Every structure is written in structure tokens, then in C-alpha cells.
Amino acid sequence: LLNFNQKRGYYQLRGEEGEENPNKLVEFYALKVTNVEATGDKKTKDEIWYNVFLENGWIYRRTSKAPLDWAGKIKEFIVTTDLNDDGTVKTDKDGREKRSFRAPAPDDWTLLKKKTEFDIGKSGKTVGTYIYDTLLQTPNQKIKGKLVTVIERKFYKAELETILKTQKQFHTELQDEKLYADCLEELYEHNEAHRTNIGKKDFSHLFLNDIIFYQRPLKSKKSLISDCKFESRTYVKEGKTETEPIKSIAKSHPLFQELRLWKLVQDLRIIQKEKQIDGKFYSDVNVTYEYFKTVEDQTNFFDWLNGRKEIDQKAFLKYFKLNEAKFRWNYVEDKVYPCNETRSQILSRLAKIENVPDGFLNTVKEEALWHILYSVEDKNEIQKALKTFGLKNGLGDDFVEQFSKFPPFKKEYGSYSAKAIKKLLPLMRMGKYWNENTIYPQTKERIDKILSGEFDDKIRTRVREKAINLQDINDFQGLPEWLVSYIVYDRHSEDGNALVWKKPKDIEDYLRYVFKQHELRNPIVEQVITETLRVVKDIWAQYGNGAEKFFDEIHIELGREMKNPADKRKQMTEQINENENTNLRIKALLMEMMNDREFENIRPYSPSQQEILKIYEEGALNAATEIPEEILKIAKQAQPTSSDLTKYKLWLQQKYKSPYTGRVIPLNKLFTPAYEIEHIIPQSRYFDDSFSNKVICEAAVNKDKDNCLAMEYILNEGGKVIEIGFGESVT
């Protein structure tokens, strides 16, 4: 029993299978090579394509630098076969079976695992019998790491099950029902539900599932989920009334998905890149009203989005039959945004099931099905839950088969609780989705008072001002999220329960008695917060003499990065490292240029010159369609060599052009008054000081452009000749 306990391994939950894919069959094969044929095609200068013919008729295509002398040899392969949903092998357009080969090194982990499992399965023996019979034939055989490497725990579990069932025949204790009941009473004294659940089982089940191969469920981390800023619950504990916030909703929950979708419908805009109005050209004109003329147009658009997993600009414009060359949306152009991911995934699987009635997926069924898929993590338990759901809703066995392979939803959470969303959604819905009767009673009372003008100290003046154009109850539909928040909760982004300290000692008391160590699970963040609070306390004591209300407000802000998941933090770290490398490279490049007599007015430690060179570098890298690999390598280094910098300098010199005139900007004149940083969208119209809004151009052109948008300037002044000094002019 101890031996099996040591080898029990880890029971993978749904989604932890790694490479496992229901539509891919991964198998081990040891096959004899009958012939090797060079095709004459080359992958690279040195690599040639070969066709390797195997004894079972398969052809393995691969490249090799050296000639393949495999004919007559037995080679080991990991073969991946693409399967259809019904288990048959997929074929390409020519009718050939879709199969890929991998001939890994003999010590490859996957190869060893698949080979061992293949050998044990082929023998028809349990692991122990397989090892025992091998030792009888080869006494010197090393077992660990040689004969048996890593294999699935099911092999050991099947063997132990066979042993226990066999042992039961020879030991009366293992057949004693009273003894079994006494054991359950002893083990599960306070867990009556589990006692009842396995009461009809036997010792074999107890040893196998509850002891030897038992794996405790992962501890709940519900305490780490963000609190809803709007809703809380009140309860009585030891005679005192306690209040605690309700936890935020999972992002995959149908309610959150709907809220996000209505927000998307209200926020998306159609922008015409160039529009002529009264004889003048204007760029980036909002023309959304031309395509959303009625509420029905918006609800039809919502219906379309509701069945999609995601949306990008191309799909958005295609819906309205608009050309990407002339129109864009108001979101990032090359980014994909989520729609109703949960619903689209469920619908795609329901489409593969037979006899599903039209309109089957209503809101009640969708939420019930989501709950099963979200909360059940065990692979066997989910099949039971799905079977019950299927029987209840008249669905066949193919429903269980399809949905048991459903990938687990990510454990990500929104900003609001389900209770808050149920209050917000009725006022965000519109048209056929809007129903006055679904509005929460307290919200209805507030709306009545806003409409009638009746005084209520719980409705602030700012809320009445924001809702001044809403004259009738029917106007309270299709409202933006921020306005709905004010109508329902009297606030939107404002904090509802900000701490107020009246004197410096309050901060010290908070740190000593309220703030719990390890509460944030990040010692660096805890250190930053406690140090910040102590600095505020000391400033208050020294400069405000500890006087009450000396400061109106104290803001303590925590970097949002700490709330991001590991993969996003990793991405941010990589970006920071890249930026740091760029800064060091730019300084090194300026130092190199300072030593070159060709360049004028170089100051390597000037932040403005560093910024100019960064824009110049970015422009050169973006302007080139194909960048040589050696240049790309230098562009990522922090400290390139002197020869690298010279090469890079020459490359930059050739590539960067003024975006308004098309003339090359000489690198040696870059820091002279002849060239300036120009904002594409002028700061007077929209303050954006990021690199993406900056270019370098001739100083005279920058002055002439003034506060026009780049596109407006080009459309209205195209062809104009401008004097740039020294008798030179540009078009």
C-alpha cells in the first residue's frame, strides 16, 4: 500500500491535461523504414526534403542536412492523428489522412512516456506483473528511469484495484460490513454526507479512492477576489451588526458578459477618415448616427455581437458594409475585443449536437449550464452533472460527450457583483430587451423622484443634473454605464467607503491594530503601503502640526500592475526591460555621435535629445518593410559595440523621412533648429504626449501646420511649397 501511495502521482483537473486535445490522437509507434527518397526540394541552402516510407504504408516527410541512411532500420515515432468529432480520421482535400510525425531523441520525455505506456498496454499486464516478468527474464534490468519511467497514474490505480478485489476474497475483515461502517464513523465523524455517500461501498473503494489515491481539493482563494464597490451584506455576529462587501462576479458569467456587451454597443463609434463638409476636408468625423438611426438598429447589432466570441475592426466594418480604407472604429485598430465568449462557446458545441430545439439556449439554461462548467473541476464529476442536465432538458448522450471536453473558464473577475449587475442591466438594455418591470424597486423609487423633482437627501444634485434630459420612464433605457451607476447608486467612480483620519495618531493606530500583516500576499506592496502611510503621518505632524483637517484629502494609490495575472506581469516586465535597453542604447549612440565631427549640437545626457533620437529610431524601424537581421539584433541591445553603433548609425541615416514632405532627415542635422518634434494630434486639441503621437519634421512645416490634425493638414494644404531657409523649399 505504501508503494502505491508513493507512486500515486497527481490527479489532473479539467484543463490541466496540457497537450491533451480531444481532436488529436497522440500515439507511440516503432516502425521499420522500407525506403528513403530525396525529393530534390530544399528547405534552406543545406537542408533537403526526404520522403521516409514506413512498413505500414505511411510516408514521413522530413528535412535533413546529412543523407538519411534509415532504410531497413526500426525508428521510434510520436504520431499525432487529427480526428473528426465522431472519432474518424480527418482527411485533406486530396483524401489523404491528416497525420504528423515526430522522431524525437531517445531521451525525449514524451517519447519515453508514450513508449512505456505502449509497451505495458501491448503486454496486457499490470505494471507490477510487467516489471516482475521482465526481471525473471533479465535479472539485471534497471527498473526506475529505464524500464518504467513516467506513466499515467491510471496504470497504478488499475493494478491496486485488481489487488484489493483479489485480497478481499481471502480476508473476512475486508468483507465485514459492520467493521466498514465503524471505520467510516471513525474517519468521518463530522461528515455525515460523505459517510452516506460511500456507505454502500466497500473497503476496496475506501483504500483506493479515499486513502491511497486521495487528493484533497485545492483550497478556496475566494478571499482574494475583489470586493464589489456597490453592494454589501449585513449580518449579526455576537450581538453586533457586521457589514462586509459582496465578492465580484466571474468574467465568464452570462450576466457580466451581457453587461460588457451593452457597454460595447454604446461605446463603439464609426469614424470616417476623411469627410468633406461645406467644401472643406475634415478628418476623423464621427458618422455613427448615420448607421444607428433607430433603437432597432442597435438591438440588431447587439444580437449579432451576442453570438460572437470576439470582434475586430475588420468584422465591425464588414457588418455595416464599410471600406477599411475610408472608415475605422474608435478603438485600437489592430486589437481584438471580447464579445459574449461564454455564449458563443456554448452555441458552437450545441451546433454539433443532434435534436436541439430552436431557441433552446435561454438565459435560465445558459446560466445553469455555465454554473456546471465553471464550478465542477473534476473530469468524472462533470460528466455526472452534465448527464443530469441533459436528462432534465431532453438532450442525448452526444451532449455529455461534447460538453465534457469544454475547456474550463478562466478564474478572472469583474468589478461588480452579480447583485449589482442585476440592478444596472435593466437600465442599460434597450428596445425589445428593455422591460420596466425588471427595474429594481428601490431604483424605480429613485427614478420617480428624479422625474417628479421630489426632494431626497440620498439623491445628490449632480445625479439630477446628469439625468436632466430624461423626461419619462421610457427614457431610462439604453443608458451608458456611468449614468446608470449614478441613477442606481448615486455614484460611479467615487469610493463609497473611503477611510477618514482626523489626526496623525489615527494612521499609527490603523497600522498597529487594523492593517494585518500578509493580508495582501505581497510583502513588497505591504512595505510600500506602510511606508507611504508613515510618510503621510510624519508630513502631517511636521507641516500641519497634527492639526485636524489640515489636509482635505490623502490619496493612497496602489499600482494596478500588482492585480494583473502572472502572464501580463511578465509581458510588462519584458516591455520595461526593452525600454531600459533602448534608453542605454540611445545614450551610447549619442556618445558615439558626439565624437563624430559631422554631427552638430550633441548633448548625450539631454532628455529632449534622447527623446528626439528615440522617435527617429522608431520612425526608421517602422519605415522599413524588411530590416536586416543584424540591424534588428543591434536595435535590441543595451550596449552595442562601437562597430555595431557605426553600422546602425549609417542604417538610420538612410531610412528616416519627414512624413509631410517625404524628404530624408539627415541624422547629422537632427539636433539643429532645422528640425522639430511635431504632434500628429496637436496638444491644444488633445493632450497626448506619447511616442505614438510624435514625429520629426522640418521646423517650418511644424509652424505652418499649427493646430491642424495631420490628416487635415495634408488634405487641405497638399501641394503647398514652404520655404525652410537657406534658399531651400519643400513641397
Side-chain angles (χ1 to χ4, degrees):
L1 292 179
L2 175 63
N3 179 45
F4 278 102
N5 191 233
Q6 289 171 333
K7 289 182 169 60
R8 67 181 183 168
Y10 171 69
Y11 177 62
Q12 292 175 314
L13 300 172
R14 285 176 59 223
E16 292 183 343
E17 294 89 346
E19 78 286 346
E20 197 172 297
N21 187 320
N23 291 97
K24 288 189 185 294
L25 178 64
V26 182
E27 297 173 296
F28 166 82
Y29 282 93
L31 298 167
K32 187 177 181 180
V33 177
T34 56
N35 188 25
V36 178
E37 179 187 276
T39 64
D41 300 330
K42 287 188 177 182
K43 184 182 180 183
T44 61
K45 189 180 177 182
D46 303 320
E47 285 187 290
I48 298 171
W49 280 100
Y50 288 89
N51 284 336
V52 179
F53 296 88
L54 305 171
E55 60 179 310
N56 62 353
W58 290 348
I59 300 172
Y60 166 42
R61 247 176 87 77
R62 67 160 291 160
T63 59
S64 177
K65 289 182 180 179
L68 288 180
D69 57 344
W70 286 7
K73 294 180 181 177
I74 292 176
K75 302 300 288 184
E76 294 178 338
F77 300 99
I78 298 290
V79 182
T80 304
T81 309
D82 289 359
L83 303 176
N84 294 309
D85 292 328
D86 59 359
T88 56
V89 179
K90 270 188 182 176
T91 53
D92 60 18
K93 58 184 178 183
D94 299 321
R96 290 180 299 220
E97 292 183 336
K98 294 181 84 172
R99 193 174 279 110
S100 61
F101 293 80
R102 193 163 70 88
D107 59 348
D108 182 87
W109 185 85
T110 312
L111 177 73
L112 292 170
K113 179 175 180 288
K114 292 286 179 185
K115 184 178 185 301
T116 309
E117 291 177 352
F118 174 79
D119 291 342
I120 295 170
K122 190 179 175 184
S123 71
K125 301 170 184 175
T126 62
V127 185
T129 315
Y130 174 73
I131 294 169
Y132 180 69
D133 289 348
T134 306
L135 283 174
L136 287 178
Q137 294 171 20
T138 321
N140 295 330
Q141 172 69 51
K142 188 176 185 302
I143 307 300
K144 287 182 182 178
K146 286 290 180 186
L147 181 67
V148 177
T149 54
V150 180
I151 57 173
E152 292 283 343
R153 79 197 311 247
K154 64 183 178 185
F155 287 92
Y156 292 113
K157 194 170 182 180
E159 180 170 22
L160 180 58
E161 190 171 10
T162 307
I163 290 171
L164 289 169
K165 283 181 179 175
T166 308
Q167 292 292 322
K168 187 178 175 181
Q169 300 169 27
F170 301 98
H171 296 276
T172 53
E173 303 100 299
L174 296 178
Q175 300 167 25
D176 190 331
E177 290 182 7
K178 186 180 181 305
L179 183 60
Y180 176 66
D182 290 343
C183 286
L184 296 187
E185 192 68 42
E186 183 68 30
L187 284 167
Y188 307 114
E189 186 182 352
H190 304 294
N191 193 345
E192 188 181 345
H194 189 62
R195 277 206 315 271
T196 309
N197 192 30
I198 65 167
K200 299 293 182 186
K201 309 281 186 185
D202 59 7
F203 276 111
S204 297
H205 180 277
L206 182 69
F207 287 141
L208 192 69
N209 298 296
D210 276 35
I211 298 172
I212 306 301
F213 282 90
Y214 173 75
Q215 183 172 307
R216 70 164 179 80
L218 296 171
K219 286 183 180 177
S220 168
K221 290 291 177 186
K222 194 178 176 183
S223 58
L224 302 178
I225 300 170
S226 299
D227 296 329
C228 176
K229 65 180 181 180
F230 289 139
E231 292 292 343
S232 59
R233 70 182 188 94
T234 306
Y235 60 95
V236 177
K237 185 179 178 183
E238 296 174 359
K240 289 183 179 178
T241 303
E242 304 273 352
T243 302
E244 68 174 15
I246 296 174
K247 294 295 177 184
S248 294
I249 196 171
K251 280 188 177 179
S252 57
H253 194 291
L255 280 173
F256 178 87
Q257 298 275 313
E258 188 189 351
L259 179 91
R260 184 172 64 188
L261 214 54
W262 281 118
K263 196 171 183 302
L264 191 68
V265 170
Q266 291 156 2
D267 291 348
L268 276 171
R269 299 284 181 270
I270 301 166
I271 308 295
Q272 191 166 337
K273 292 180 181 179
E274 176 194 330
K275 190 176 176 72
Q276 193 172 4
I277 303 170
D278 299 331
K280 286 202 82 175
F281 284 104
Y282 293 90
S283 60
D284 291 346
V285 179
N286 182 1
V287 292
T288 316
Y289 62 91
E290 294 178 20
Y291 298 90
F292 282 138
K293 292 176 181 175
T294 64
V295 171
E296 193 179 355
D297 290 337
Q298 286 182 286
T299 53
N300 289 340
F301 181 58
F302 173 84
D303 290 337
W304 180 72
L305 290 175
N306 205 21
R308 294 179 66 89
K309 183 183 179 184
E310 56 194 21
I311 187 173
D312 59 8
Q313 180 175 267
K314 188 176 180 181
F316 174 72
L317 294 176
K318 192 177 178 183
Y319 175 83
F320 295 100
K321 297 175 182 169
L322 297 173
N323 189 336
E324 267 191 278
K326 296 179 180 178
F327 295 88
R328 67 173 182 85
W329 66 1
N330 59 321
Y331 282 19
V332 179
E333 293 193 31
D334 56 353
K335 193 174 173 183
V336 175
Y337 291 86
C339 292
N340 196 330
E341 297 164 308
T342 302
R343 184 179 173 82
S344 70
Q345 283 180 281
I346 292 173
L347 284 172
S348 68
R349 290 189 180 264
L350 283 174
K352 297 172 185 175
I353 298 165
E354 293 179 7
N355 304 321
V356 178
D358 292 337
F360 169 80
L361 196 66
N362 57 31
T363 51
V364 176
K365 286 174 185 168
E366 185 183 346
E367 193 166 329
L369 186 52
W370 169 83
H371 200 276
I372 293 169
L373 297 167
Y374 178 81
S375 57
V376 183
E377 295 185 329
D378 187 273
K379 290 177 281 188
N380 297 321
E381 291 298 323
I382 195 162
Q383 288 199 327
K384 294 178 189 173
L386 289 168
K387 194 170 183 179
T388 306
F389 181 88
L391 288 169
K392 189 178 175 183
N393 293 285
L395 299 170
D397 292 337
D398 54 349
F399 165 77
V400 179
E401 187 185 336
Q402 278 295 332
F403 279 85
S404 58
K405 300 170 190 171
F406 199 101
F409 291 112
K410 288 180 182 176
K411 302 292 183 185
E412 295 177 341
Y413 299 88
S415 305
Y416 307 136
S417 62
K419 188 176 180 181
I421 291 177
K422 284 175 183 176
K423 291 182 182 180
L424 298 173
L425 267 177
L427 303 184
M428 292 179 74
R429 292 175 181 140
M430 62 178 83
K432 62 184 179 182
Y433 292 102
W434 189 76
N435 183 351
E436 184 187 336
N437 299 324
T438 59
I439 300 173
Y440 199 70
Q442 286 180 337
T443 306
K444 194 84 181 290
E445 281 179 33
R446 286 174 62 84
I447 290 171
D448 291 341
K449 287 176 181 177
I450 290 169
L451 290 172
S452 65
E454 183 185 333
F455 175 75
D456 187 337
D457 58 0
K458 290 180 182 175
I459 303 174
R460 288 185 288 180
T461 308
R462 71 164 74 175
V463 178
R464 294 186 187 275
E465 286 170 355
K466 292 176 192 299
I468 197 163
N469 294 322
L470 307 175
Q471 305 294 329
D472 182 74
I473 186 69
N474 292 311
D475 294 337
F476 286 80
Q477 61 173 302
L479 301 180
E481 181 197 11
W482 63 268
L483 182 53
V484 175
S485 299
Y486 277 117
I487 291 166
V488 178
Y489 291 107
D490 216 46
R491 59 191 172 90
H492 174 50
S493 56
E494 301 90 333
D495 196 343
N497 53 350
L499 282 172
V500 177
W501 288 300
K502 293 181 179 177
K503 48 189 182 292
K505 190 178 179 299
D506 292 347
I507 298 178
E508 191 59 51
D509 290 344
Y510 172 77
L511 289 170
R512 188 174 294 174
Y513 304 115
V514 181
F515 190 88
K516 294 173 186 171
Q517 194 179 7
H518 310 308
E519 190 176 13
L520 299 174
R521 293 177 69 246
N522 189 319
I524 302 300
V525 174
E526 285 188 6
Q527 186 182 350
V528 169
I529 287 178
T530 51
E531 285 181 8
T532 306
L533 285 170
R534 289 196 172 104
V535 167
V536 170
K537 176 183 75 82
D538 292 344
I539 291 170
W540 194 346
Q542 185 162 338
Y543 295 99
N545 298 318
E548 192 174 326
K549 294 185 179 178
F550 181 80
F551 296 110
D552 292 326
E553 288 182 358
I554 300 168
H555 290 277
I556 308 294
E557 295 191 7
L558 171 65
R560 291 186 180 187
E561 292 79 14
M562 305 312 298
K563 287 187 176 182
N564 286 321
D567 58 337
K568 286 189 181 175
R569 291 205 305 273
K570 185 185 175 189
Q571 193 180 338
M572 286 173 176
T573 305
E574 286 170 358
Q575 185 62 52
I576 289 164
N577 292 339
E578 195 179 310
N579 292 346
E580 197 173 326
N581 286 349
T582 301
N583 291 336
L584 291 168
R585 183 178 63 257
I586 291 295
K587 282 177 191 170
L589 196 53
L590 283 167
M591 292 292 284
E592 178 77 13
M593 288 155 74
M594 189 174 71
N595 298 327
D596 193 329
R597 289 183 181 180
E598 276 188 34
F599 295 89
E600 301 175 31
N601 191 34
I602 303 294
R603 300 190 306 278
Y605 295 99
S606 161
S608 63
Q609 289 204 359
Q610 288 169 16
E611 186 176 16
I612 291 167
L613 190 52
K614 276 185 207 172
I615 297 166
Y616 192 94
E617 182 189 68
E618 195 178 84
L621 290 167
N622 290 339
T625 48
E626 239 179 84
I627 301 169
E629 201 171 313
E630 55 184 336
I631 296 298
L632 269 178
K633 192 177 175 184
I634 299 167
K636 289 175 183 174
Q637 287 179 348
Q639 298 285 355
T641 63
S642 183
S643 60
D644 280 345
L645 284 170
T646 305
K647 192 185 295 177
Y648 192 51
K649 197 168 60 179
L650 291 168
W651 185 85
L652 286 176
Q653 178 79 44
Q654 304 162 24
K655 290 291 172 187
Y656 197 83
K657 294 180 180 180
S658 166
Y660 297 108
T661 64
R663 287 177 50 147
V664 171
I665 299 172
L667 190 59
N668 56 357
K669 300 285 183 190
L670 180 62
F671 301 104
T672 65
Y675 294 94
E676 292 177 353
I677 293 176
E678 196 279 310
H679 288 81
I680 300 163
I681 302 171
Q683 287 181 296
S684 59
R685 291 174 70 167
Y686 179 72
F687 186 80
D688 178 7
D689 206 33
S690 63
F691 275 100
S692 59
N693 191 38
K694 292 176 184 175
V695 290
I696 298 166
C697 72
E698 296 82 357
V701 173
N702 187 23
K703 287 180 179 66
D704 188 61
K705 177 177 174 285
D706 196 21
N707 67 342
C708 290
L709 293 170
M711 182 65 80
E712 286 173 0
Y713 181 56
I714 292 166
L715 290 170
N716 295 319
E717 304 294 341
K720 183 178 182 180
V721 177
I722 297 174
E723 298 292 329
I724 59 171
F726 303 104
E728 274 194 87
S729 60
V730 291
T731 304

